């Protein structure tokens, strides 16, 4: 029906679709041109890139996600896939895209050429070649955001810097980038003055600081700059003197002799940055250097100290006392429960807290427990996003937290020891997590840990109606657990499970559910190859993959149906192109 | 307050599991397997004597534990030969971890725990089946002196660059407290780190002690002091250099940011020429072998390309 409406009407209707998921759903039905303002998000194997490019040639912003989330923790073998090249090539070479670009080309963008302006990729394998293709094929290209990607080097960055004339944003978050020299920063032409955001914090290796300084000097709209560890404090001071308008800064190596002039220069440089609202970096920071940021702490809404293990509790406390406007705080667990109590009393505006472990394998004394979390819940009523690594948790604490903070949208708790019970009562943590899902009706993302039985999944199925993503590890007793979730969580899109006693029964009971989901991951559970085959047979529209890392003699040729497998289920319309030899498509 | 740690948190089966672990810490041999299997049966039996409902739990815990310890990469486990594969998986995991001290501590831990448990008795009868399954994975690090956790693949769920962040080696020394800092400074002053420094257009070089400075700015000022007179003498060879006052001689500035007539570069221990100022000071003085003051105009694009930038191990 929609095809009969003129474009202007379609655009108008699209304007009302604000949620990405709605737009995605709508865009599959609507034919014709998607209005430029709309963003497309795809999983890289959900649909063929050529098809997307053919259907939506004029799209300006594309987001593609590749590997499953557990790839971050080395649970997905390398060479699994998630290649960016087919996507970039599809959009670069689509003739309709070129025509659309010519027709709708913006002023200054030149005629012809595909109109893609923004590309966001997550957990994809990106090569230097496809970055070069991107740089040469999209004359209006403005923003490149790569998160947890790999496969490229600084040569690829050089290509983007050289050829993209209207670049506004290069945002590289936690990628694996091969260092092939610092020349890429020199590749930005003198005419490039449009940069607003530059983040190369994840780059290892040195960079050309002089080129960086010149670049910063000629980009007056630069708002966000995140440096890598190779940038010294001296260089940072010079850069800040040239860019006092910065709103978000990631420092380089933050070590300097606090009695030196360099330290005083740093203080003056930072003081001039009146717009600074967010700080990160702080590699190698020593407590004696922290006072350099005191002058602007009271303006900060975001602070990431999670790369600074030398900053222990008492110094963190001194710093936090200045940061009363903080909304987002990322720290290491050396902040301790005492430090979190100070956060609770100081940071009344806190919305997001992440506490990372500093020393997983050692018997560190400085850690956080349930006490710290409880304190924060009392002091920070606006808290809605939590990632908390700790050594223990109690039901009582979780219930208190649930009562104090009913607005959680993201609740990720990781008790470092798998299957650890409530140390006070020796009970599982079912009741505690149950309280969280009951109280936070808007919860969208949940990660569980500690000792858990099927009961917690019953609670989740009952109460977590808005839940979209659930991560489970070392939990549950039987298939019932998984079924509670599949049957109860209406909005569930991503389910990832490892080391749980869920088997074929759970996998096969509610197969229709998978059509409403984006993906299911199960590893080290009780699912067998036979179960996977049965699923693939029942649901031909699903892409069921089995990943078997061990291809040695022990698998004895073709494995029996009773073989337990690692596996992953994807929702798909078209299959994937190439398959590594350890992945079986059923 | 809350007793931190795990002394109170172990059930009977947990301690039993732990004992099983101790016995497994050896290479697999036919005899040992059967010994362990016998013990398995014994322990399962002893567990049963505490309450019938525990027996099933023990078995399911075994499979849970083993599947967990296999982790993501150790492949699949055959259902029919549970015993062998479990232990195989466990041994592989521990071998990877290379945790050698564990056995001793575990012995102590479990011994004490056993006593405390005997006093407390087993968990309440209505304990959920999995409650008794503070499984062996948990028991790995549950001794009273918190021992190292046996690494499980992909656990805890943090990205690689965040692991071992406490051990990330810094390329330069940790700043210490005041007194030891002063001592370090005196010591380093005594040693000295003299490197040659030459300036374009001046035939005679100087030597400069890098350890006498703690920042690039100070070094830059020192270079100015070293060469200002000589430079002036070069430009006007007839005028006796000593007659002019310091202010009248032109200062050498902008050495570090490319804004001056001259630029400071250095040669590192690999023989590469690099711009001064990029790396933290302490890293610089540890790698700089020689300094040069070049004319900025000579640092054209082509020569910059030949100035290779080293990859420094700045991260873990």
């Amino acid at each position: 029906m929609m095809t009969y409406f003129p474009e202007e009407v379609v655009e108008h209707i699209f304007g009302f679709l604000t949620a990405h998921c709605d737009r995605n759903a709508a865009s599959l039905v609507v034919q014709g041109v998607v209005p430029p303002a709309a963003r497309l998000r795809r999983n890289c194997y959900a649909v063929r890139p050529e098809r997307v490019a053919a259907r939506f040639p004029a799209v300006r912003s594309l987001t593609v996600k590749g590997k499953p989330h557990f790839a971050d923790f080395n649970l997905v073998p390398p060479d699994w896939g998630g290649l960016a090249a087919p996507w970039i090539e599809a959009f670069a070479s689509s003739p309709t895209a070129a025509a659309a670009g010519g027709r709708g080309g913006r002023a200054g963008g030149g005629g012809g050429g595909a109109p893609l302006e923004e590309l966001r990729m997550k957990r994809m394998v990106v090569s230097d070649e496809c970055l070069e293709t991107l740089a040469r094929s999209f004359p209006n290209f403005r923003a490149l955001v790569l998160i947890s990607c790999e496969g490229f080097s600084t040569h690829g960055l050089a290509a983007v810097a050289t050829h993209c004339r209207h670049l506004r944003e290069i945002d590289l978050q936690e990628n694996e980038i091969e260092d092939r020299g610092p020349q890429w920063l020199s590749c930005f032409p003198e005419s490039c003055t449009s940069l607003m955001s530059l983040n190369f914090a994840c780059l290892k290796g040195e960079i050309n600081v002089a080129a960086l300084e010149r670049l910063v000097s000629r980009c007056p709209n630069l708002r966000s700059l995140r440096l890598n560890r190779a940038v010294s404090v001296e260089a940072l001071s010079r850069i800040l003197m040239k860019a006092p308008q910065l709103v978000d800064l990631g420092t380089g190596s933050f070590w300097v002799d606090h009695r030196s002039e360099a330290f005083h220069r740093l203080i003056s440089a930072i003081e001039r940055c009146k717009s600074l609202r967010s700080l990160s970096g702080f590699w190698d920071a020593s407590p004696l250097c922290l006072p350099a940021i005191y002058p602007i702490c009271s303006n900060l809404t975001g602070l990431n100290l999670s790369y600074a293990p030398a900053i222990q509790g008492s110094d963190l406390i001194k710093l936090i006392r200045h940061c009363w406007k903080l909304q987002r705080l990322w720290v290491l667990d050396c902040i301790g429960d005492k430090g979190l109590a100070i956060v609770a009393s100081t940071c009344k505006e806190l919305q997001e807290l992440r506490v990372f472990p500093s020393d997983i394998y050692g018997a560190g004394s400085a850690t956080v427990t349930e006490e710290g979390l409880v304190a924060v819940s009392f002091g920070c009523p606006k808290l809605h996003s939590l990632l908390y690594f700790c050594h223990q948790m109690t039901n009582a604490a979780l219930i208190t937290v649930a009562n104090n903070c009913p607005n959680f949208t993201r609740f990720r708790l990781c008790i470092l020891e798998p299957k650890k019970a409530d140390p006070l009562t020796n009970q599982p943590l079912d009741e505690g997590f149950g309280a969280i899902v009951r109280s936070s009706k808007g919860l969208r993302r949940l990660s569980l840990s500690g000792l858990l039985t099927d009961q917690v999944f019953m609670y989740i199925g009952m109460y977590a109606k808005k839940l979209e993503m659930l991560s489970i590890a070392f939990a549950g007793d039987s298939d019932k657990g998984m079924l509670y979730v599949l049957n109860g969580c209406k909005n569930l899109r991503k389910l990832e499970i490892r080391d749980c006693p869920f088997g074929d029964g759970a996998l096969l009971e509610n197969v229709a559910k998978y059509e409403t989901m984006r993906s299911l991951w199960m590893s080290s559970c009780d699912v067998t190859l036979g179960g996977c085959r049965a699923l693939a047979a029942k649901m031909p529209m699903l892409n069921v993959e089995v990943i078997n890392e061990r291809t040695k003699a022990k698998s004895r040729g073709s494995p029996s149906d009773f073989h337990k497998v690692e596996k992953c289920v994807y929702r798909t319309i078209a299959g994937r192109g190439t398959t590594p030899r350890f992945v079986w498509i059923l | 307050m809350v007793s931190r740690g795990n002394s109170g948190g172990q059930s009977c089966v947990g301690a039993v599991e732990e004992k099983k672990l101790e016995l497994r810490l050896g290479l697999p041999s036919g005899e040992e397997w059967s010994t362990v299997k016998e013990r398995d049966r014994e322990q399962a039996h002893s567990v049963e004597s505490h309450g019938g409902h525990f027996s099933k739990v023990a078995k399911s815990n075994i499979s849970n534990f083993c599947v967990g310890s296999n982790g993501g990469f150790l492949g699949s486990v055959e259902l029919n030969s549970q015993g062998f594969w479990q232990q195989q998986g466990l041994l592989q995991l521990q071998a990877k971890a290379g945790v050698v001290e564990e056995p001793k501590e575990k012995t102590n831990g479990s011994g004490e725990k056993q006593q405390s448990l005997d006093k407390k008795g087993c968990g309440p009868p209505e304990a959920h089946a999995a409650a008794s399954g503070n499984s062996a994975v948990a028991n790995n690090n549950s001794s009273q002196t918190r021992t190292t956790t046996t690494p499980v693949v992909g656990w805890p769920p943090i990205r690689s660059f965040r692991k071992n962040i406490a051990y990330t080696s810094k390329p330069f020394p940790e700043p210490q407290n005041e007194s030891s800092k002063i001592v370090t400074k005196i010591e380093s002053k005594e040693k000295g780190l003299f490197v040659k420094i030459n300036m374009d257009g001046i035939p005679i070089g100087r030597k400069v002690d890098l350890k006498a400075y703690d920042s690039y700015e100070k070094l830059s000022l020192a270079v100015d002091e070293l060469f200002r007179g000589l430079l002036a003498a070069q430009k006007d060879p007839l005028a006796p250099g000593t007659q002019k006052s310091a202010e009248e001689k032109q200062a050498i500035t902008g050495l570090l940011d490319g804004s001056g007539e001259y630029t400071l570069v250095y040669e590192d221990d690999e023989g590469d020429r690099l711009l001064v100022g990029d790396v933290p000071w302490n890293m610089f003085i540890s790698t700089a072998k020689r300094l040069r003051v070049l004319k900025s105009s000579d640092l054209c694009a082509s020569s910059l390309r030949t100035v290779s930038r080293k990859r420094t191990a700045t991260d873990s």
Side-chain angles (χ1 to χ4, degrees):
Chain A
M1 306 304 115
M2 295 284 257
T3 54
Y4 296 134
F5 295 163
E7 272 185 43
E8 298 80 29
V9 178
V10 173
E11 246 188 78
H12 188 65
I13 296 171
F14 260 73
F16 290 108
L17 300 177
T18 47
H20 283 307
C21 49
D22 291 334
R23 281 197 177 178
N24 279 348
S27 62
L28 287 174
V29 177
V30 172
Q31 298 186 19
V33 176
V34 168
R39 286 182 171 193
L40 272 189
R41 295 175 67 220
R42 285 290 179 273
N43 173 274
C44 72
Y45 292 122
V47 63
R48 283 206 176 280
E50 306 85 43
R51 204 164 162 216
V52 179
R55 204 176 228 183
F56 306 113
V59 75
R60 303 239 166 125
S61 169
L62 180 67
T63 302
V64 190
K65 294 187 182 177
K67 298 183 198 180
H69 174 230
F70 275 179
D72 287 351
F73 319 128
N74 302 322
L75 287 178
V76 176
D79 307 331
W80 173 85
L83 299 173
W87 286 91
I88 294 177
E89 278 153 27
F91 277 87
S93 60
S94 156
T96 38
R103 197 170 58 225
R106 290 193 182 180
L116 189 70
E117 290 178 10
E118 292 179 9
L119 182 63
R120 286 176 172 74
M121 299 203 142
K122 189 167 184 180
R123 294 192 201 98
M124 302 279 291
V125 177
V126 183
S127 66
D128 286 344
E129 290 73 36
C130 68
L131 284 177
E132 174 111 25
T133 306
L134 178 149
R136 289 186 190 275
S137 312
F138 306 121
N140 284 334
F141 195 74
R142 278 155 214 272
L144 179 67
V145 179
L146 300 176
I147 305 173
S148 302
C149 297
E150 56 178 352
F152 61 106
S153 77
T154 46
H155 280 357
L157 297 179
V160 174
T162 306
H163 300 294
C164 299
R165 294 299 160 98
H166 306 281
L167 213 47
R168 285 214 195 122
E169 180 179 354
I170 294 189
D171 187 3
L172 308 169
Q173 297 179 31
E174 298 173 352
N175 302 290
E176 273 293 321
I177 307 177
E178 191 194 335
D179 175 30
R180 289 228 194 130
Q183 308 89 318
W184 66 279
L185 268 171
S186 321
C187 292
F188 285 98
E190 288 300 313
S191 56
C192 172
T193 57
S194 50
L195 263 188
M196 294 176 65
S197 169
L198 178 61
N199 172 8
F200 58 90
C202 62
L203 267 187
K204 304 165 196 169
E206 301 190 39
I207 56 137
N208 185 337
V209 173
L212 174 63
E213 290 180 46
R214 287 194 298 274
L215 179 63
V216 166
S217 307
R218 63 179 185 270
C219 293
N221 294 321
L222 194 66
R223 293 274 172 274
S224 169
L225 179 64
R226 295 195 182 186
L227 310 169
N228 75 342
R229 198 171 177 179
V231 178
S232 67
V233 156
E234 286 88 350
L236 173 64
S237 301
R238 294 196 299 270
I239 289 167
L240 290 179
M241 294 300 277
K242 298 183 166 121
Q245 78 283 0
L246 281 178
V247 173
D248 168 59
L249 172 69
T251 74
S253 175
F254 203 73
W255 191 89
V256 65
D257 186 336
H258 69 286
R259 296 157 305 172
S260 66
E261 286 192 32
F263 181 66
H264 293 290
R265 267 196 300 281
L266 177 67
I267 298 179
S268 331
I270 290 181
E271 264 177 340
R272 291 179 73 228
C273 299
K274 305 284 185 203
S275 306
L276 213 47
R277 295 287 172 269
S278 158
L279 281 180
S280 59
F282 294 106
W283 284 288
D284 313 312
S286 91
L288 297 165
C289 305
L290 277 190
I293 64 168
Y294 285 178
I296 47 109
C297 275
S298 55
N299 295 333
L300 289 181
T301 57
L303 182 59
N304 180 355
L305 290 163
S306 62
Y307 302 113
I311 315 271
Q312 300 281 315
S314 53
D315 302 298
L316 277 170
I317 287 172
K318 272 191 241 162
L319 174 65
I320 297 289
R321 285 193 198 279
H322 291 79
C323 306
W324 52 275
K325 278 197 196 154
L326 224 47
Q327 296 174 13
R328 188 174 44 85
L329 175 64
W330 293 22
V331 284
L332 291 170
D333 59 5
C334 21
I335 192 172
D337 288 332
K338 283 207 188 99
L340 287 177
I342 302 298
V343 171
S345 60
T346 313
C347 309
K348 296 304 180 185
E349 302 297 313
L350 197 67
Q351 299 179 22
E352 176 182 330
L353 174 67
R354 296 196 189 193
V355 180
F356 294 96
S358 55
D359 194 4
I360 325 164
Y361 302 121
S365 54
T367 55
V368 295
T369 69
E370 74 277 7
E371 290 176 28
L373 183 58
V374 167
V376 171
S377 76
F378 274 116
C380 308
K382 297 188 184 179
L383 190 67
H384 67 79
S385 173
L386 179 75
L387 173 61
Y388 197 77
F389 287 85
C390 58
H391 283 264
Q392 63 178 51
M393 185 53 60
T394 66
N395 283 309
L398 283 174
I399 292 168
T400 307
V401 169
N403 289 336
N404 292 340
C405 297
N407 299 316
F408 278 115
T409 54
R410 291 184 186 84
F411 191 89
R412 295 152 72 191
L413 180 68
C414 179
I415 302 166
L416 288 166
E417 189 183 313
K419 296 199 190 182
K420 184 159 182 173
D422 179 336
L424 281 181
T425 64
N426 203 26
Q427 296 294 304
L429 292 173
D430 302 333
E431 297 305 313
F433 279 105
I436 295 285
V437 294
R438 202 160 35 229
S439 128
S440 288
K441 303 197 184 341
L443 193 66
R444 293 199 313 266
R445 183 169 179 181
L446 178 64
S447 297
L448 307 171
S449 59
L451 185 63
L452 296 165
T453 73
D454 286 344
Q455 182 76 5
V456 72
F457 299 112
M458 195 185 87
Y459 291 141
I460 292 173
M462 246 197 311
Y463 297 112
K465 292 306 181 187
K466 294 268 169 70
L467 193 66
E468 295 176 12
M469 181 167 177
L470 179 62
S471 308
I472 311 171
F474 305 102
D477 311 308
S478 72
D479 287 347
K480 272 198 272 181
M482 184 167 159
L483 286 171
Y484 284 137
V485 170
L486 289 177
N487 296 335
C489 298
K490 290 198 188 57
N491 283 300
L492 193 66
R493 291 158 76 233
K494 293 192 240 186
L495 180 59
E496 43 188 32
I497 307 173
R498 63 163 295 178
D499 294 280
C500 296
F502 304 143
D504 297 338
L507 181 69
L508 296 170
E509 171 138 336
N510 185 359
V511 292
K513 175 71 177 174
Y514 302 134
E515 280 199 310
T516 66
M517 286 170 57
R518 178 176 284 180
S519 67
L520 166 70
W521 168 279
M522 292 179 76
S523 60
S524 303
C525 297
D526 290 354
V527 170
T528 69
L529 189 56
C532 300
R533 288 198 174 123
L535 175 61
K538 269 192 184 183
M539 303 291 289
M541 292 299 279
L542 292 184
N543 183 17
V544 180
E545 288 189 12
V546 170
I547 301 169
N548 191 20
E549 183 66 356
R550 268 253 191 94
T551 48
K552 294 184 208 167
K554 292 201 167 90
S555 57
R556 285 188 227 136
S558 123
S560 73
D561 271 4
F562 299 109
H563 221 74
K564 272 200 216 167
V565 291
E566 315 290 274
K567 122 178 151 46
C568 183
V569 168
Y570 265 83
R571 175 183 173 218
T572 194
I573 301 167
R576 35 134 126 214
T578 55
T579 311
R581 58 175 174 76
F582 53 77
V583 177
W584 303 326
I585 311 282
L586 300 179
Chain B
M1 274 304 269
V2 175
S3 60
R4 196 89 62 91
N6 320 292
S7 51
Q10 296 308 314
S11 67
C12 307
V13 176
V16 160
E17 293 280 345
E18 184 145 334
K19 279 212 154 173
K20 217 177 355 181
L21 271 177
E22 292 170 45
L23 296 168
R24 281 189 198 159
L25 290 167
L27 292 170
S29 68
E31 291 167 47
E32 285 201 27
W33 290 131
S34 55
T35 313
V36 178
K37 275 189 179 166
E38 269 172 37
R39 247 175 252 274
D40 283 355
R41 281 195 290 273
E42 276 173 16
Q43 284 157 359
H45 189 71
S46 66
V47 163
E48 278 173 29
S49 66
H50 286 289
H53 56 279
F54 277 127
S55 58
K56 279 184 190 166
V57 162
K59 285 178 196 157
S60 64
N61 284 344
I62 289 168
S63 63
N64 282 349
F65 157 67
C66 294
V67 171
S69 69
N70 272 336
F73 279 153
L74 297 182
S76 47
V77 175
E78 300 253 357
L79 279 172
N80 30 0
S81 52
Q82 255 182 19
F84 180 82
W85 281 104
Q86 294 156 14
Q87 287 138 12
Q88 182 80 358
L90 167 64
L91 283 165
Q92 286 182 349
L93 201 64
Q94 291 210 337
K96 275 183 190 172
V99 177
V100 178
E101 288 103 40
E102 263 192 86
K104 291 178 193 161
E105 297 188 57
K106 261 210 267 292
T107 312
N108 295 336
S110 70
E112 289 165 29
K113 227 185 320 300
Q114 196 65 31
Q115 287 165 7
S116 63
L117 278 166
D118 286 344
K119 286 175 196 164
K120 289 185 184 178
C122 291
E126 72 268 29
H128 301 272
S132 51
N134 273 342
S135 71
V137 174
N139 294 343
N140 283 340
N141 56 358
S142 57
S143 70
Q144 287 177 345
T145 61
R146 189 189 287 149
T147 53
T148 54
T149 311
T150 304
V152 175
V153 175
W155 189 266
I158 58 171
R159 304 193 194 200
S160 340
F161 63 85
R162 286 199 181 277
K163 290 188 176 178
N164 291 325
I165 203 162
Y167 301 123
T168 302
S169 56
K170 286 173 19 172
F172 43 86
E174 283 258 16
Q176 298 125 355
N177 56 44
E178 291 297 316
S179 53
S180 60
K181 254 192 169 151
I182 293 166
V183 169
T184 318
K185 195 142 192 184
I186 293 169
E187 279 173 7
S188 58
K189 259 197 188 311
E190 285 166 358
K191 278 184 198 171
L193 188 63
F194 285 92
V195 297
K196 289 185 205 168
I197 176 166
N198 286 84
M199 184 162 181
D200 269 0
I202 298 178
I204 301 291
R206 303 292 304 262
K207 270 217 157 166
V208 62
D209 178 9
L210 290 179
K211 292 212 170 176
Y213 313 103
D214 59 4
S215 73
Y216 289 118
E217 204 52 48
K218 289 205 175 125
L219 175 66
S220 177
L221 292 170
V223 170
D224 175 43
E225 282 170 23
L226 285 173
F227 285 109
R228 199 196 288 191
L230 288 171
L231 190 64
Q234 282 298 110
K235 286 182 175 167
D236 189 359
L238 296 176
T242 50
Q243 283 189 353
K244 280 189 179 171
S245 66
E247 289 79 28
E248 285 173 54
K249 295 175 201 170
Q250 194 166 17
I252 305 168
T253 56
L255 285 164
L256 299 173
D257 60 359
S259 65
E261 198 186 345
Y262 293 90
T263 298
L264 191 59
V265 303
Y266 73 103
E267 285 173 21
D268 70 0
D269 44 17
E270 291 179 4
D272 295 325
R273 258 194 203 184
L274 305 158
L275 281 177
V276 165
D278 287 350
V279 301
W281 174 256
N282 284 329
M283 192 194 301
F284 164 70
I285 62 172
S286 69
T287 57
K289 293 289 169 271
R290 196 179 181 138
L291 295 176
R292 287 187 191 277
V293 186
L294 304 179
K295 282 220 152 192
S296 300
S297 51
D298 285 343
L299 289 172
C300 62
S302 58
S303 71
L304 266 180
R305 271 196 286 276
T306 61
V307 173
S308 61
R309 294 287 175 144
K310 224 172 29 141
R311 283 177 225 189
T312 318
T314 52
D315 64 338
S316 53

